[in-house]
């Protein structure tokens, strides 16, 4: 049995999809971030003292090294004119002597993040596979926002406090338990931060017990000897009885980087010693992570995690609310004559007590876009699309083509029609100020044809609507949209919302009035 099949066999024994638990080695692999001691050296240099000065005074304990650097950094920025701009930008937000250091770390790490995933030039294939993983969620001690880019639809919880006091669904979520550079004060950096984190570890463990017991947990970017991971797993183990311990066994999978180029991935068994307990774990040693991601993807559920999370949220809300309103259709139990008449249906959407005569409530954005682009041949009834389907679709939805189909070709005609409540997009509504500015600064000389030929698909979605339109360009835009329909709308490409905006723009320039 080859490596991929072995891993599939391990993961398929669980009823749920995996959680990823990501450490600093993960960010180092994909975006080249420094190790923690290397990062601290960057700021020791800015202060003007040798790193060895801090390391020796802290006896090599990195959180204590960070504490000493933070104290000197606080003093340095107010005395040295080199930091005047930094103080003007952030000074009013500092609330402790460690704040300046945390804001500086956040600014430094933010400079390492690229605007788009396609801008990362190394391991591009792995990143492409990674962003398609249909995992249940992510836990990470990383501060950077790379994983936020990879899974933009996942809900993010920052820090222990936010996770502990949230109504998390444990699905389609990212738990940044050591904070995030988007909230500098949340970073777990200094000895004081780590002490506070350790004090709350039992509460965090209690929150994560169900997750660890029911899901495979795949650790990437950690050493097996990482004290933070050992402390967290220890806290979880202490909360489990013997029955739950059996469920936790073989749930923990550690991915180790094999530095030998093109080394064949290997799976082995080991154990983690927690007190007097030997906890069985699986170790994957690999140079290339593609086979690991392919194995995870081969057993993914057919419904995307973000959809399941939405369903779970809605179902949870439905149970809690005392007034479900029109979220349910209820039939008096006295009107059911026998049990064979009972059928259970759980759906997302508003259920009416009278079904649509032709089922247009079930037509969603995919079918609407296919009709506008001429992909399908179903000949949808535009009157029902305008009255029933479009009002049920959230987000950006094209409308002009269907209005033309029912004989409406002006605003005046629409105001007198049954469809007068529909919002018609103007170009300004579809534009992004940031991307428009970037286009004018960098690409203003490029026409539609240039953009489609020279840019990757995501950047085409971002920029093509700002180029001057010539008659032949409408056809080019439609061809691009048709070619990439499956990528964005079926496979849930990351920038799906920008694709939908571009469809609305095409609808406007092709059929608008």
């Amino acid at each position: 049995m080859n490596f991929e099949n072995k891993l599939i066999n391990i993961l398929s024994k669980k009823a749920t999809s995996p959680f990823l638990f990501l450490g600093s080695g993960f960010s180092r692999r994909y975006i080249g971030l420094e190790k923690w001691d290397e990062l601290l050296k960057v700021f020791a240099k800015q202060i003007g003292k040798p790193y060895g000065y801090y390391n020796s005074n802290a006896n090599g304990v990195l959180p204590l090294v960070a504490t000493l650097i933070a104290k000197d950094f606080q003093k340095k920025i107010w005395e040295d004119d080199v930091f005047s701009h930094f103080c003007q930008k952030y000074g009013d937000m500092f609330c402790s002597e460690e704040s300046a250091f945390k804001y500086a770390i956040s600014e430094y790490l933010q400079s390492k993040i690229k605007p788009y995933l396609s801008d990362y030039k190394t391991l591009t294939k792995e990143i492409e596979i990674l962003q398609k993983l249909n995992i249940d969620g992510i836990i990470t001690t990383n501060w950077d926002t790379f994983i936020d880019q990879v899974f933009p639809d996942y809900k993010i919880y920052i820090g222990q406090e936010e996770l502990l006091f949230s109504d998390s669904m444990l699905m389609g979520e990212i738990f940044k338990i050591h904070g995030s550079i988007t909230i500098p004060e949340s970073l777990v950096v200094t000895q004081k931060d780590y002490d506070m984190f350790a004090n709350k570890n039992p509460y965090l463990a209690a929150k994560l017990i169900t997750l660890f017991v029911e899901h495979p947990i795949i650790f990437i970017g950690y050493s097996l000897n990482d004290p933070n991971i050992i402390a967290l797993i220890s806290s979880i183990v202490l909360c489990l009885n013997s029955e739950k311990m059996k469920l936790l066994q073989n749930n923990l999978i550690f991915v180790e980087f094999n530095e030998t180029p093109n080394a064949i991935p290997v799976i082995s068994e080991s154990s983690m010693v927690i007190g007097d307990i030997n906890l069985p774990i699986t170790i994957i040693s690999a140079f290339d992570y593609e086979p690991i991601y392919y194995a995870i993807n081969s057993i993914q559920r057919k419904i995307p995690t973000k959809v399941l999370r939405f369903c779970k949220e809605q179902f949870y809300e439905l149970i809690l609310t005392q007034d479900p309103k029109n979220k349910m259709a209820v039939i008096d139990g006295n009107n059911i004559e026998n049990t064979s008449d009972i059928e259970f249906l759980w759906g997302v959407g508003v259920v009416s007590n009278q079904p649509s005569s032709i089922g247009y409530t079930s037509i969603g954005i995919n079918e609407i876009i296919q009709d506008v682009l001429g992909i399908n041949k179903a000949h949808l009834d535009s009157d029902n699309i305008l009255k029933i389907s479009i009002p049920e679709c959230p987000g950006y939805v094209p409308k002009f083509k269907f209005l033309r189909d029912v004989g409406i070709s002006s605003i005046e005609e629409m105001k007198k029609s049954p469809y007068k409540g529909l919002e018609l997009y103007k170009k300004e509504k579809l534009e992004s100020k940031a991307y428009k500015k970037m286009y004018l600064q960098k690409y203003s000389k490029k026409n539609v044809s240039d953009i489609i030929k020279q840019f990757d698909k995501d950047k085409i979605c971002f920029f093509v609507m700002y180029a001057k339109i010539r008659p032949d360009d409408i056809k080019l835009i439609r061809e691009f949209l048709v070619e990439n329909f499956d990528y964005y709308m079926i496979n849930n490409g990351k920038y799906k919302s920008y694709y939908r905006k571009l469809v609305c723009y095409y609808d406007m320039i092709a059929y608008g009035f």
Side-chain angles (χ1 to χ4, degrees):
M1 186 182 294
N2 64 23
F3 165 81
E4 202 168 315
N5 288 335
K6 285 182 180 178
L7 183 54
I8 290 170
N9 185 52
I10 292 171
L11 296 175
S12 61
K13 291 178 181 177
K14 300 296 179 180
T16 54
S17 293
F19 257 72
L20 300 185
F21 205 132
L22 306 178
S24 60
F26 180 85
S27 294
R28 191 157 57 250
R29 180 178 184 85
Y30 294 109
I31 56 179
L33 294 190
E34 296 90 343
K35 295 180 181 178
W36 193 14
D37 61 334
E38 294 171 343
L39 181 65
L40 293 174
K41 288 176 184 178
V42 170
F43 291 95
K45 186 176 181 179
Q46 289 186 19
I47 296 170
K49 289 184 179 180
Y51 176 75
Y53 166 80
Y54 295 106
N55 196 43
S56 59
N57 277 285
N59 293 318
V61 179
L62 292 180
L64 190 52
V65 172
T67 301
L68 298 176
I69 290 177
K71 186 175 181 179
D72 283 357
F73 191 81
Q74 159 77 359
K75 183 178 179 182
K76 180 75 171 179
I77 63 164
W78 297 112
E79 296 177 349
D80 194 328
D81 290 341
V82 171
F83 293 95
S84 60
H85 177 71
F86 177 81
C87 291
Q88 285 180 342
K89 187 175 182 180
Y90 301 114
D92 290 344
M93 293 180 275
F94 298 160
C95 59
S96 74
E97 67 176 1
E98 298 172 348
S99 295
F101 185 43
K102 292 182 179 182
Y103 274 85
I105 289 175
S106 298
E107 187 174 69
Y108 178 77
L109 294 185
Q110 190 61 53
S111 71
K112 301 280 188 174
I113 301 296
K114 306 291 185 184
Y116 318 109
L117 284 178
S118 57
D119 291 333
Y120 296 103
K121 301 304 181 186
T122 59
L123 298 171
T124 53
K125 184 64 175 177
E126 278 191 17
I127 294 174
E128 184 180 332
I129 303 168
L130 179 65
Q131 68 182 123
K132 294 178 181 178
L133 293 187
N134 200 18
I135 53 176
D136 273 356
I138 296 130
I139 310 167
T140 181
T141 52
N142 295 340
W143 302 321
D144 62 84
T145 56
F146 174 69
I147 199 63
D148 310 24
Q149 290 180 303
V150 176
F151 297 97
D153 296 320
Y154 283 31
K155 184 174 178 61
I156 298 172
Y157 293 94
I158 297 174
Q160 282 175 304
E161 292 287 331
E162 193 166 302
L163 173 58
L164 290 174
F165 297 102
S166 68
D167 292 324
S168 61
M169 298 289 109
L170 299 182
M171 180 176 289
E173 296 166 332
I174 299 173
F175 305 136
K176 308 188 81 168
I177 59 176
H178 276 193
S180 171
I181 59 175
T182 58
I183 306 177
E185 295 287 357
S186 70
L187 301 187
V188 177
V189 181
T190 65
Q191 188 62 56
K192 177 183 175 183
D193 297 326
Y194 273 92
D195 289 343
M196 292 177 63
F197 185 89
N199 288 337
K200 295 177 183 176
N201 232 8
Y203 302 103
L204 178 63
K207 185 83 173 184
L208 299 180
I209 280 176
T210 301
L211 188 155
F212 270 68
V213 168
E214 295 183 355
H215 297 260
I217 310 296
I218 301 176
F219 294 84
I220 304 177
Y222 291 104
S223 162
L224 281 171
N225 300 317
D226 189 294
N228 298 307
I229 296 303
I230 292 174
L232 179 59
I233 294 176
S234 298
S235 296
I236 291 173
V237 167
L238 290 173
C239 297
L240 301 179
N241 57 30
S242 57
E243 184 180 345
K244 294 295 185 183
M245 271 297 300
K246 291 178 182 178
L247 295 175
L248 179 62
Q249 291 181 3
N250 303 315
N251 265 14
L252 307 183
I253 302 171
F254 280 79
V255 176
E256 289 186 334
F257 176 59
N258 187 334
E259 296 183 5
T260 305
N262 302 314
I264 298 173
V266 176
I267 296 179
S268 60
E269 301 298 325
S270 185
S271 62
M272 179 178 288
V273 179
I274 308 292
D276 57 354
I277 298 173
N278 284 332
L279 185 64
I281 60 174
T282 300
I283 299 176
I284 299 172
S285 176
F287 176 82
D288 179 2
Y289 289 2
E290 285 184 32
I292 300 171
Y293 297 153
Y294 277 126
I296 295 171
N297 233 14
S298 68
I299 59 169
Q300 67 176 342
R301 61 171 67 88
K302 294 184 180 298
I303 302 175
T305 297
K306 64 179 181 180
V307 175
L308 287 176
R309 183 182 189 281
F310 173 77
C311 293
K312 193 173 181 181
E313 280 183 324
Q314 295 302 307
F315 194 57
Y316 182 71
E317 179 185 348
L318 188 63
I319 292 170
L320 289 183
T321 183
Q322 296 183 16
D323 182 15
K325 298 180 180 177
N326 57 355
K327 290 185 179 180
M328 291 192 298
V330 180
I331 298 174
D332 187 348
N334 295 323
N335 293 331
I336 300 176
E337 296 183 357
N338 58 67
T339 55
S340 64
D341 293 333
I342 302 174
E343 291 184 358
F344 291 90
L345 173 66
W346 177 34
V348 178
V350 176
V351 181
S352 170
N353 61 355
Q354 292 293 330
S356 167
S357 60
I358 52 175
Y360 273 79
T361 53
S362 65
I363 292 177
I365 187 62
N366 283 17
E367 291 85 359
I368 290 171
I369 290 177
Q370 286 177 316
D371 191 279
V372 169
L373 299 179
I375 296 175
N376 66 13
K377 305 297 181 183
H379 304 295
L380 299 178
D381 181 84
S382 293
D383 177 64
N384 279 304
I385 291 292
L386 291 165
K387 288 179 178 177
I388 302 172
S389 305
I390 288 178
E392 293 293 325
C393 285
Y396 294 94
V397 185
K399 306 177 182 78
F400 284 107
K401 187 264 184 187
F402 302 106
L403 290 169
R404 289 281 189 180
D405 286 348
V406 297
I408 294 175
S409 57
S410 69
I411 297 295
E412 290 72 23
E413 289 176 354
M414 184 173 174
K415 288 179 179 178
K416 299 175 184 178
S417 76
Y419 324 110
K420 58 187 176 183
L422 293 178
E423 177 190 6
L424 294 182
Y425 297 121
K426 295 182 180 179
K427 188 167 183 285
E428 295 77 16
K429 176 73 173 178
L430 304 172
E431 291 179 342
S432 160
K433 291 181 180 179
Y435 289 130
K436 183 175 184 179
K437 181 179 179 181
M438 193 180 300
Y439 171 81
L440 295 173
Q441 289 176 341
K442 295 184 176 183
Y443 311 121
S444 60
K445 294 183 180 180
K446 294 187 182 295
N447 57 36
V448 169
S449 179
D450 293 333
I451 293 172
I452 291 177
K453 288 178 181 177
Q454 299 172 17
F455 290 5
D456 64 42
K457 59 174 69 72
D458 291 337
K459 288 187 177 180
I460 293 172
C461 290
F462 299 153
F463 296 120
V464 77
M465 72 171 64
Y466 307 116
K468 186 176 180 180
I469 292 293
R470 297 176 296 190
D472 290 344
D473 292 337
I474 297 176
K475 180 183 177 183
L476 292 177
I477 294 174
R478 177 189 169 275
E479 289 173 349
F480 166 79
L481 292 169
V482 170
E483 182 180 345
N484 291 283
F485 174 83
D486 283 357
Y487 173 79
Y488 287 103
M489 301 305 299
I490 303 300
N491 299 325
N492 291 304
K494 179 180 177 183
Y495 297 105
K496 181 177 178 178
S497 62
Y498 285 91
Y499 176 87
R500 287 180 60 172
K501 284 184 180 183
L502 187 56
V503 171
C504 292
Y505 177 66
Y506 164 77
D507 178 57
M508 184 182 70
I509 60 177
Y511 301 103
F513 44 78

